[in-house]
Amino acid sequence: MRNFTSVHDIGDLKSALAKAKQVKENPFADQELGKNKTLLMIFFNSSLRTRLSTQKAALNLGMNVIVLDINQGAWKLETEKGVIMDGDKPEHILEAIPVMGSYCDVIGVRSFAQFENKASDYNEVILNQFIQYSGKPVFSMEAATRHPLQSFADLITIEEYKKTEKPKVVLTWAPHPRALPQAVPNSFAEWMNAAGYEFVITHPKGYELDDEFVGKAVVEYDKEKAYKGADFIYAKNWAAYQDPNYGKILSTDRAWTVDTEKMALTNNAYFMHCLPVRRNMIVSDEVIDSPQSIVIPEAANRVVSAQVVLKEILLGL
Amino acid sequence: MRNFTSVHDIGDLKSALAKAKQVKENPFADQELGKNKTLLMIFFNSSLRTRLSTQKAALNLGMNVIVLDINQGAWKLETEKGVIMDGDKPEHILEAIPVMGSYCDVIGVRSFAQFENKASDYNEVILNQFIQYSGKPVFSMEAATRHPLQSFADLITIEEYKKTEKPKVVLTWAPHPRALPQAVPNSFAEWMNAAGYEFVITHPKGYELDDEFVGKAVVEYDKEKAYKGADFIYAKNWAAYQDPNYGKILSTDRAWTVDTEKMALTNNAYFMHCLPVRRNMIVSDEVIDSPQSIVIPEAANRVVSAQVVLKEILLGL
Amino acid sequence: MRNFTSVHDIGDLKSALAKAKQVKENPFADQELGKNKTLLMIFFNSSLRTRLSTQKAALNLGMNVIVLDINQGAWKLETEKGVIMDGDKPEHILEAIPVMGSYCDVIGVRSFAQFENKASDYNEVILNQFIQYSGKPVFSMEAATRHPLQSFADLITIEEYKKTEKPKVVLTWAPHPRALPQAVPNSFAEWMNAAGYEFVITHPKGYELDDEFVGKAVVEYDKEKAYKGADFIYAKNWAAYQDPNYGKILSTDRAWTVDTEKMALTNNAYFMHCLPVRRNMIVSDEVIDSPQSIVIPEAANRVVSAQVVLKEILLGL
């Protein structure tokens, strides 16, 4: 594997899941692979799970890790060509990225959608500049439109907990006080489609995701109907994608909060969320504290997905 | 050892001191013990000595180290149950802590008293939540009421410098422009009581510490009397503990500054302080620059105390 | 080598360059040397290249690395003796430095000129206090008056690209919107003088550097004359050094920007800059994007210079 930015980079999912199982059973088996290889983790946005789990995965593989937190206020990168750089941006991405590439073997980048320019967000300008200019393999630690390490961990978790070959998986929008990117639902949809599960997306009108990610999923506006018979309820908030509301909050309706009443409609479904999660907005205390909540093992699998991806990148060096 | 939050966790002090001696003589002898074990250091408050010395101790033991600085302003954790999380706190401690636990083998936590709620401070709410929810061994890198890695280093230092079996050790309050927690004096008192030294505490009226920590110490309001015959003078500022003045500054009287006049009353005592120290407030330049000042070897012993504690935790995994 | 603060510490340049070649050809050959040795990198100022390249060099040598970012606002060190520390500075450098020294084997320090007091800047007060009080070898990661790891990397790069034994190297001032220290040009001049190249410095009147650094260089105010026949053009902005203008911007004249017209006067010169560089202020897009620009290999050589210096320090322990 050269770069990892979406499900399309991981190859056959059965094989990827088999690799995940191996890594989980024997996390320290590949330390020779990472010896004298340096991972540079670059954060344009803050991070808890991704920061810790990716670092742990790299250490499991025997790699060295260097973490670079880019405070966007303090260190602005110019991205336009031809500009006279007499303002507040001291360095151009054309120099910064190849230099960073020259100090490491693998680069992880976290860079969220900024909701200022939909085309720029959905073209993944920052991530792609790293791929183009760094000279090194690049993987996404959550980019503007996808969060593939999360989705891969989600898939691993569903495979561990599922009771039927093709479970019914429901992605439900849920309310949140702030405008959040679509990276997690986009990416989750992409991986669920690739996994071939029975996959349903439910959300209020106006929250339709990009067709590219929705794919063959059933979009069901009647949430009760969506929940019926579900094996997994995957909750997430996102801001509107469709024009002219890109990046806007259209609803904070707590009827969409995942609660025991709606969970009662399911096939004793497991509850999943990528975290951090706002209790009693996204999900009620009762549901997240119930035995059906698997958010902690789901988060723990972030080490596994990151380690598979890093291992494949190391094998491709 | 499972957790380390106070002198009660270290077991027999003679044995602990023998282990400290071993660690100091041969700091790299136990690197197999830490191999593929990851220490997660979580800082809710800033730190110089604890940050560096604990990291060094873990590296000496062959561990991997991940450091997480939690900027309290940027990343607030909800701690109340049942709250509708529609405000400024994006994550609940009920998720954050087990997730952090899933990415490491041992957790160190620094979390100071906040002087907003005495009961919450003295119940060590944050430290105890890590113990309860992380699923991993937890040690204090200074908590609300104790700083046991400091106190253990203090004990090691006194043992190295003492000239009699049971030296006279005097903990003296000293002035400071800001309100400081009682963690260091509480903890020091607890360890001195356990060590069985002749132990005296001196401070202005109103600065009485919690009886639980004072224990069998002699409290002497007459500082000159307290200094008389001392083998070690341990200076520290703290804000008032007793109601209704909890967290308040009652005095900045520089008559309490440790100076050559008062040191002349002692048995040529050594001067100790946990650092950082405000010169000419806590202690005069003359005293801290004198050969009797052992603040630097005392700080250096922070690596030793941390390494003994980490080693015992690793042995208990 | 004990400390590394200038070209005077590196010894014979031929020998240093031979060591650089060895390190570059076989970066992992000396890992036993760094085993159980800890580098403490202390940043008083922000850093991208120095932070990453020095860390990479230390990891290549098998060292442990601890990074300490000193936010000048949050953690102020008192440096005056005899002060009553009742203000905003909680720790004196007399304690902080030996304590930091006790937790590591080698110390790197970054501390820029502050343009508040020329004598204090040019006496390298902070760097020298680390040398005096830490008890450990200290190297400069850019100090007030020199940036020797950069200059050494510059020398390595020139040696790799030069086509004649003694190339003509031209250091040219170029415009910039902010007042920058003289550390890079001072240090570059010092190393070029030591290398024995044909060395010319060109800048507008008023930008004369300290004679100590200019040495035997030719100072040529006519920039076109300076460029003529040059093999290397090394651009850099700096604020005025001479009194009464120390630290002031005297010109932002873009006639000094390195452009294709002036480059046409050279002997097909290579373009160099320490980065970060402001495009179309310091250098035109055409020049920095041309094949003659060697700023990326120059930056990559920062790992090499740091690794040679660290290796020599480790050999001297």
Side-chain angles (χ1 to χ4, degrees), chain C:
Chain C
M1 193 190 299
R2 172 72 187 184
N3 302 306
F4 177 74
T5 67
S6 81
V7 72
H8 308 299
D9 298 313
I10 197 76
D12 176 58
L13 285 190
K14 278 235 169 75
S15 160
L17 286 163
K19 286 168 189 165
K21 214 167 161 229
Q22 283 180 344
V23 155
K24 197 162 180 172
E25 283 168 3
N26 202 347
F28 308 121
D30 300 299
Q31 300 203 327
E32 276 308 304
L33 211 52
K35 194 174 151 65
N36 291 328
K37 296 288 182 284
T38 298
L39 167 63
L40 176 59
M41 296 170 64
I42 301 170
F43 293 96
F44 288 87
N45 301 95
S46 60
S47 166
L48 172 65
R49 269 153 289 274
T50 300
R51 174 187 302 268
L52 298 179
S53 62
T54 309
Q55 221 169 323
K56 183 69 166 72
L59 294 170
N60 285 353
L61 287 163
M63 299 183 78
N64 298 320
V65 180
I66 301 179
V67 178
L68 187 66
D69 279 296
I70 295 180
N71 182 322
Q72 282 178 293
W75 189 64
K76 295 186 179 170
L77 286 176
E78 182 57 64
T79 57
E80 298 295 313
K81 284 198 123 182
V83 170
I84 297 169
M85 290 174 61
D86 58 356
D88 62 343
K89 297 177 179 169
E91 182 147 28
H92 203 287
I93 210 155
L94 288 170
E95 278 74 55
I97 293 179
V99 166
M100 292 192 266
S102 74
Y103 299 150
C104 65
D105 301 285
V106 182
I107 297 179
V109 179
R110 162 162 289 212
S111 173
F112 291 172
Q114 299 183 318
F115 285 155
E116 285 168 12
N117 181 323
K118 185 175 178 173
S120 161
D121 286 344
Y122 270 69
N123 287 331
E124 293 285 7
V125 170
I126 291 180
L127 185 65
N128 284 326
Q129 284 175 319
F130 274 89
I131 291 172
Q132 187 174 355
Y133 298 120
S134 72
K136 295 293 158 67
V138 172
F139 66 96
S140 163
M141 302 196 301
E142 185 169 344
T145 64
R146 291 176 177 95
H147 192 357
L149 288 176
Q150 177 67 51
S151 309
F152 186 12
D154 296 334
L155 175 68
I156 294 166
T157 309
I158 291 172
E159 285 292 307
E160 290 175 340
Y161 283 85
K162 76 177 189 184
K163 290 165 185 156
T164 56
E165 181 61 22
K166 295 206 174 301
K168 178 175 177 183
V169 177
V170 178
L171 165 62
T172 178
W173 179 93
H176 193 285
R178 292 171 59 186
L180 300 187
Q182 296 98 27
V184 169
N186 282 347
S187 191
F188 184 72
E190 201 169 47
W191 286 69
M192 292 303 101
N193 278 315
Y197 300 147
E198 183 185 346
F199 180 48
V200 177
I201 306 176
T202 183
H203 53 68
K205 295 232 162 156
Y207 277 101
E208 293 75 16
L209 294 167
D210 186 350
D211 285 343
E212 183 194 342
F213 298 103
V214 173
K216 49 194 171 164
V218 173
V219 177
E220 174 56 68
Y221 295 100
D222 179 342
K223 56 187 177 308
E224 280 76 16
K225 203 168 155 196
Y227 273 67
K228 201 163 287 177
D231 297 299
F232 294 87
I233 296 293
Y234 191 98
K236 184 73 185 82
N237 173 269
W238 63 89
Y241 166 76
Q242 302 293 343
D243 294 325
N245 294 319
Y246 181 67
K248 290 197 183 144
I249 295 176
L250 306 180
S251 166
T252 55
D253 183 1
R254 287 176 47 213
W256 285 84
T257 300
V258 180
D259 57 18
T260 47
E261 284 188 358
K262 285 195 287 301
M263 288 299 280
L265 303 170
T266 69
N267 180 27
N268 194 26
Y270 290 107
F271 172 75
M272 299 179 72
H273 189 278
C274 61
L275 306 181
V277 65
R278 289 178 177 255
R279 285 168 168 250
N280 303 310
M281 290 292 290
I282 299 285
V283 58
S284 71
D285 284 333
E286 291 74 21
V287 171
I288 197 169
D289 289 331
S290 78
Q292 293 308 99
S293 169
I294 55 175
V295 296
I296 304 302
E298 180 186 1
N301 276 332
R302 293 291 308 277
V303 177
V304 182
S305 65
Q307 193 167 339
V308 171
V309 166
L310 279 170
K311 182 180 166 181
E312 292 301 304
I313 288 175
L314 287 172
L315 286 168
L317 284 181

